[in-house]
Amino acid sequence: MKKRLNADIQKPKIVKHFYKTILGQGFEGASIAKVAKRMNIHPSLILHYFGNKENLTLALVDYVIEAYNSLLKKYKAKDLAPEDRLERLLEAIWSREYYEKINVAGSFAVLAVSFRNEKIHGKIRDLYRIFKKFLVREFRFLIDNNLICMDDPEQTAEIIMTMIEGSRHFRAFIIDDDRDDDQVRRYNQEMISVARKLLTSFSS
Amino acid sequence: MKKRLNADIQKPKIVKHFYKTILGQGFEGASIAKVAKRMNIHPSLILHYFGNKENLTLALVDYVIEAYNSLLKKYKAKDLAPEDRLERLLEAIWSREYYEKINVAGSFAVLAVSFRNEKIHGKIRDLYRIFKKFLVREFRFLIDNNLICMDDPEQTAEIIMTMIEGSRHFRAFIIDDDRDDDQVRRYNQEMISVARKLLTSFSS
DNA sequence: TATAATTAACTGAACGATCAGTTAATTATT
DNA sequence: AATAATTAACTGATCGTTCAGTTAATTATA
């Protein structure tokens, strides 16, 4: 006697299970049937809610993007003393919480698909635009308080974003054993250190 | 009356067409049948040569990795004056030739698959190890000639690699119109400039 | 040099499994 | 009784794979 759930609950649930299936089986391996099996529902129910796989995929992308976006919304440093805000920002960016919010395999799957789907590519581009704006706003605050200096905050934001995405890549492929927490922590500290120098000692 | 080609010619040809198919259809969309159709051969011929799709995939990864590796082999700066070698290195790393050698969509497809295939993951890790060694060797030469200074060449190599991979990411997703050459060129110059400062003015 | 033996390149048809998607029926909730 | 949730049964296409057989190129033999 399975309880019936309404669309508001069931739809996000399906998306989440789709995401989990992708993590285990990859994008190509994540069929509607497998998602349904994992949820113990009928495959047709998924198509009933999403119409087709394209829509399910787009919903997944929204889910992943929203997960990232929530990190920015959560980030509140207004109450901190200006001199502490730089450290807070750097630590947030290279924190476990940030880069583990969405599994790196999940990210890559979505990014790979985006090359063949302009809608998805656009959504990702939007996410980065929002993130860039966020960084520029933080930089401007720090500049106004004479804590850092730079010629072009937009340009500097681009460099920091490059380093952030590079770090995600690095942790996944270059660090020998990704279970070695010390190595990862040391690497993150390295990156924070470089970013700090970049923000405080360069005049561009 | 199709001419018969021997394995030495046909096998790499199949791998290249597999790669091209992935670019157009994505990894999940690149079936053996589609590759065969593109080549105007019978699907069975592909299996005749590779046995199964897994082997074809591994051959593709080798092909992509070899393409990258060839860039390092090609890189010769021994004849240059020591003071020119830093610029040569930076320009090579952020050159069109380097980052367009393998299409970014192709790279992402391979990287995404690697999360579910330890063999592929290992091959990619090996590639990065080789690249790191290459960078460290170049850095040591520059240090010996008093052109740059740093505490830990290995650590610096990691940072530069992070920036390189981040750049690939950035160009794909963050720059508004990826056909705008000027914007890309300006961005590459930015990154070269940051890398140069990092190598010349930091004591770590 | 001609021919037979062997190897390598290649094709065709068929396999069971799985895919996304359609249509219709059933069941629960309000 | 009306509506929404869920399942059942099914379709046609495509997937990777197997296997038996054909055709061409190469090598050995007479």
Side-chain angles (χ1 to χ4, degrees):
Chain A
M1 311 309 97
K2 239 197 290 182
K3 204 190 164 193
R4 294 198 165 197
L5 308 168
N6 60 24
D8 293 347
I9 296 171
Q10 199 72 294
K11 283 185 77 174
K13 206 173 166 188
I14 291 170
V15 172
K16 275 177 203 164
H17 279 84
F18 182 39
Y19 172 72
K20 294 249 180 190
T21 308
I22 287 174
L23 288 193
Q25 321 265 100
F27 201 91
E28 54 268 49
S31 66
I32 290 174
K34 282 177 191 161
V35 178
K37 197 171 213 175
R38 171 187 273 268
M39 291 181 73
N40 203 24
I41 60 168
H42 203 275
S44 298
L45 188 56
I46 295 174
L47 289 163
H48 165 70
Y49 278 124
F50 293 94
N52 55 40
K53 206 186 178 183
E54 157 101 2
N55 290 342
L56 178 59
T57 303
L58 290 173
L60 170 83
V61 174
D62 285 336
Y63 166 69
V64 170
I65 285 179
E66 186 45 41
Y68 277 118
N69 245 329
S70 72
L71 288 169
L72 292 190
K73 280 174 192 151
K74 209 178 130 193
Y75 180 84
K76 291 274 173 256
K78 306 259 184 287
D79 50 334
L80 262 65
E83 41 284 306
D84 294 331
R85 264 175 82 155
L86 175 59
E87 286 307 309
R88 168 65 180 276
L89 178 65
L90 293 176
E91 265 170 38
I93 285 173
W94 272 280
S95 70
R96 245 206 160 65
E97 189 193 4
Y98 184 87
Y99 65 76
E100 280 185 352
K101 181 81 185 189
I102 290 296
N103 182 294
V104 63
S107 297
F108 268 83
V110 170
L111 295 174
V113 173
S114 80
F115 288 106
R116 282 163 294 120
N117 188 314
E118 188 44 46
K119 280 185 202 165
I120 295 177
H121 208 273
K123 281 173 188 281
I124 292 170
R125 252 191 273 114
D126 288 345
L127 174 68
Y128 281 121
R129 276 201 207 98
I130 291 169
F131 187 51
K132 187 170 167 180
K133 272 189 191 167
F134 164 80
L135 282 181
V136 169
R137 210 179 309 124
E138 288 296 308
F139 291 166
R140 289 239 161 85
F141 174 86
L142 294 167
I143 293 166
D144 292 345
N145 286 78
N146 293 314
L147 290 161
I148 62 175
C149 67
M150 59 186 71
D151 291 345
D152 186 346
E154 298 240 350
Q155 195 167 306
T156 307
E158 288 183 356
I159 294 162
I160 295 291
M161 288 169 80
T162 300
M163 287 171 62
I164 291 169
E165 292 306 328
S167 296
R168 169 196 294 287
H169 192 102
F170 193 92
R171 281 186 295 257
F173 294 108
I174 307 176
I175 289 178
D176 301 82
D177 182 25
D178 48 333
R179 277 167 219 104
D180 188 340
D181 277 10
D182 278 346
Q183 219 178 338
V184 176
R185 218 173 298 123
R186 196 202 56 134
Y187 171 76
N188 286 334
Q189 283 305 317
E190 262 177 49
M191 292 309 296
I192 289 177
S193 163
V194 172
R196 190 190 299 116
K197 277 172 192 156
L198 200 138
L199 292 171
T200 56
S201 64
F202 281 4
S203 55
S204 177
Chain B
M1 311 304 97
K2 240 195 294 180
K3 207 193 163 191
R4 293 201 165 195
L5 307 168
N6 61 25
D8 293 346
I9 295 171
Q10 199 73 293
K11 284 185 76 174
K13 206 174 167 188
I14 291 169
V15 172
K16 275 177 201 164
H17 279 85
F18 183 38
Y19 173 71
K20 294 248 179 190
T21 307
I22 288 173
L23 288 193
Q25 322 266 103
F27 200 91
E28 54 267 46
S31 66
I32 289 173
K34 283 177 190 161
V35 177
K37 196 170 214 176
R38 172 187 271 269
M39 291 182 72
N40 203 23
I41 60 169
H42 203 276
S44 300
L45 187 56
I46 295 174
L47 289 162
H48 166 71
Y49 279 123
F50 293 94
N52 55 39
K53 207 187 178 183
E54 157 101 3
N55 289 343
L56 177 59
T57 303
L58 291 173
L60 169 83
V61 174
D62 285 336
Y63 166 70
V64 171
I65 284 179
E66 186 45 41
Y68 277 118
N69 245 328
S70 73
L71 289 169
L72 292 191
K73 279 175 192 149
K74 211 179 128 192
Y75 180 86
K76 291 277 172 256
K78 306 261 186 287
D79 50 335
L80 262 64
E83 38 276 277
D84 294 331
R85 265 177 81 155
L86 175 59
E87 286 308 309
R88 168 66 181 274
L89 178 64
L90 294 176
E91 265 169 38
I93 285 173
W94 272 281
S95 70
R96 243 203 162 65
E97 189 194 3
Y98 184 88
Y99 65 76
E100 279 185 353
K101 180 81 185 191
I102 290 296
N103 182 293
V104 64
S107 296
F108 269 82
V110 169
L111 294 174
V113 173
S114 80
F115 288 105
R116 282 163 294 119
N117 187 314
E118 187 45 44
K119 278 185 202 166
I120 295 177
H121 209 274
K123 280 173 189 282
I124 293 170
R125 251 190 274 114
D126 288 345
L127 173 68
Y128 281 121
R129 276 203 206 100
I130 290 168
F131 187 51
K132 186 169 167 181
K133 270 189 191 168
F134 164 80
L135 282 181
V136 168
R137 211 179 308 122
E138 288 297 308
F139 290 166
R140 289 239 161 86
F141 174 85
L142 294 167
I143 292 166
D144 292 345
N145 287 75
N146 293 314
L147 292 161
I148 62 175
C149 67
M150 60 186 72
D151 290 344
D152 186 346
E154 298 239 349
Q155 195 167 304
T156 307
E158 289 182 357
I159 294 163
I160 294 292
M161 289 170 80
T162 300
M163 288 171 61
I164 292 169
E165 292 306 328
S167 296
R168 169 195 293 286
H169 192 101
F170 192 91
R171 281 184 297 255
F173 294 107
I174 307 176
I175 289 178
D176 301 82
D177 182 24
D178 48 332
R179 277 167 219 103
D180 188 341
D181 278 10
D182 278 346
Q183 218 177 340
V184 176
R185 219 173 297 122
R186 196 203 55 135
Y187 170 77
N188 286 333
Q189 284 305 318
E190 260 177 51
M191 291 309 297
I192 289 176
S193 163
V194 172
R196 191 190 300 113
K197 276 172 193 155
L198 199 138
L199 292 171
T200 55
S201 64
F202 282 2
S203 56
S204 175

